Amino acid sequence: MGGSSLPADLVNDGFGDGPRLEIVRDYRLPAAAGPRDLCIASSYSGNTEETLAALDDALSRGCRAIALSHGGQLEAKAAAAGIPHVPIPESIQPRCASGYFFASLVGIFHRLSLIPTPEALLDRLSKHLSGVQDACEARGKALAEALRDRVPIVYGPAEFAGAARIWKIKFNENAKIQSFSNVFPELNHNEMVGFTRLLIKPALIFLESRFMHPRVKRRMDVMEEILGREIPIHRLSFAGESPLFEMFESLAVADYASYHLAQAYGIDPAPVEMVEAFKKKL
Ligand code: F6R
């Protein structure tokens, strides 16, 4: 759930030709889950009720399981059930631990011999991100200024569905504003018609990939032609050797954009009091 599930999308989208995770954001596993399946239960706090219930469901169906958490009931449950537990290091918030979760998932894939050793790739990715960090901050800050008092709507190619969703979540949780995401080409078949009558003040963010289908680029151009006079459109592209690198670089820009928006709105980007208060009321 939430921040503890974001990296699973990046694994699926970033390793397009690798094994796919079936992401379950619910109390129960899909009906077909059984002894041939491996359940990776992932919760930063280790106390998220849906994750704990899904792990119980997995164990009762005879699935194999691995738990990822920074302590909590999940770690205790893993010890009691005799399943491996991967400790996630301390982080400001679960959604800031994406790098730890991502590397843990990739590490599990490697240990299962599903992918070659990822160490060199992770090293290059981390060097790439260090190299572009200042530029990402500058881009994020400029974007935050342009997004002030607008609802950011984040669109990307289908293979960036996870990244676009994480962008919107960063605006939701860090800047504490409404934000939405969707992907090309599907949005051209329905969602864009909704801009005929503007009930909010949106700003569109197009995440461009050098690897996306050329017709998707054409779709972005045509959208800009049709809507660009009425709605500000920010087109962002990223460097790096693969879509995975582009996604991570884009998320660094999203972090800075949402952080600077929070600053502009006089809000602390870290805590999510509504999420905590809601959990207590359940
Ligand atoms: C907080 C956050 C939330 C939590 C979610 C699940 O930063 O992003 O979305 O991640 O409520 O809690 P955990 O991650 O502890 O399982």
Side-chain angles (χ1 to χ4, degrees):
M1 308 305 302
S4 297
S5 72
L6 305 178
D9 280 311
L10 297 176
V11 169
N12 278 349
D13 295 345
F15 286 86
D17 53 352
R20 282 192 75 78
L21 294 161
E22 177 157 355
I23 303 169
V24 179
R25 296 186 173 98
D26 200 358
Y27 291 88
R28 284 185 289 233
L29 301 189
R36 285 168 49 87
D37 293 303
L38 169 69
C39 165
I40 303 175
S42 169
S43 162
Y44 178 80
S45 65
N47 295 326
T48 295
E49 65 175 41
E50 300 94 312
T51 317
L52 293 167
L55 177 59
D56 284 341
D57 188 19
L59 295 175
S60 73
R61 294 182 201 210
C63 301
R64 303 217 189 160
I66 298 179
L68 272 61
S69 80
H70 179 69
Q73 295 172 53
L74 192 54
E75 183 172 12
K77 207 180 255 296
I83 62 171
H85 174 261
V86 180
I88 299 295
E90 175 136 35
S91 177
I92 305 168
Q93 279 284 329
R95 62 187 184 279
C96 306
S98 288
Y100 296 136
F101 279 112
F102 180 83
S104 304
L105 292 172
V106 169
I108 291 170
F109 277 2
H110 174 53
R111 292 280 184 93
L112 294 171
S113 307
L114 296 171
I115 56 168
T117 176
E119 275 172 38
L121 173 79
L122 293 177
D123 195 46
R124 286 199 308 281
L125 178 56
S126 132
K127 287 204 175 86
H128 173 70
L129 291 175
S130 305
V132 294
Q133 179 157 351
D134 290 346
C136 288
E137 168 145 36
R139 292 176 87 182
K141 199 169 176 190
L143 186 59
E145 275 158 32
L147 293 176
R148 189 102 193 243
D149 297 325
R150 292 193 172 266
V151 176
I153 302 182
V154 188
Y155 292 151
E159 59 272 31
F160 270 47
R165 193 171 154 275
I166 300 174
W167 266 77
K168 87 122 200 145
I169 287 173
K170 286 177 191 287
F171 288 125
N172 295 147
E173 292 195 273
N174 296 346
K176 293 157 183 76
I177 56 170
Q178 304 95 74
S179 179
F180 305 93
S181 70
N182 204 342
V183 290
F184 291 94
E186 176 63 15
L187 69 94
N188 296 133
H189 295 272
N190 35 59
E191 181 161 318
M192 70 174 182
V193 186
F195 293 114
T196 308
R197 183 183 298 270
L198 286 184
L199 302 178
I200 53 168
K201 255 175 83 182
L204 304 188
I205 298 169
F206 291 179
L207 305 179
E208 297 195 48
S209 167
R210 285 173 299 126
F211 304 91
M212 67 191 182
H213 196 286
R215 296 294 289 166
V216 170
K217 170 155 187 340
R218 176 71 192 137
R219 283 169 181 275
M220 291 182 177
D221 294 343
V222 174
M223 274 274 280
E224 193 172 358
E225 232 174 89
I226 295 175
L227 294 175
R229 263 192 304 272
E230 261 199 281
I231 306 172
I233 298 180
H234 305 278
R235 296 181 65 157
L236 305 177
S237 54
F238 310 94
E241 64 182 51
S242 70
L244 181 71
F245 282 53
E246 293 180 322
M247 280 174 215
F248 268 97
E249 184 178 324
S250 89
L251 293 175
V253 177
D255 270 328
Y256 284 117
S258 55
Y259 168 81
H260 283 287
L261 259 184
Q263 299 281 93
Y265 293 140
I267 282 167
D268 183 346
V272 279
E273 277 153 25
M274 196 188 290
V275 175
E276 300 310 327
F278 185 89
K279 286 180 185 176
K280 285 203 186 94
K281 272 183 177 285
L282 285 174

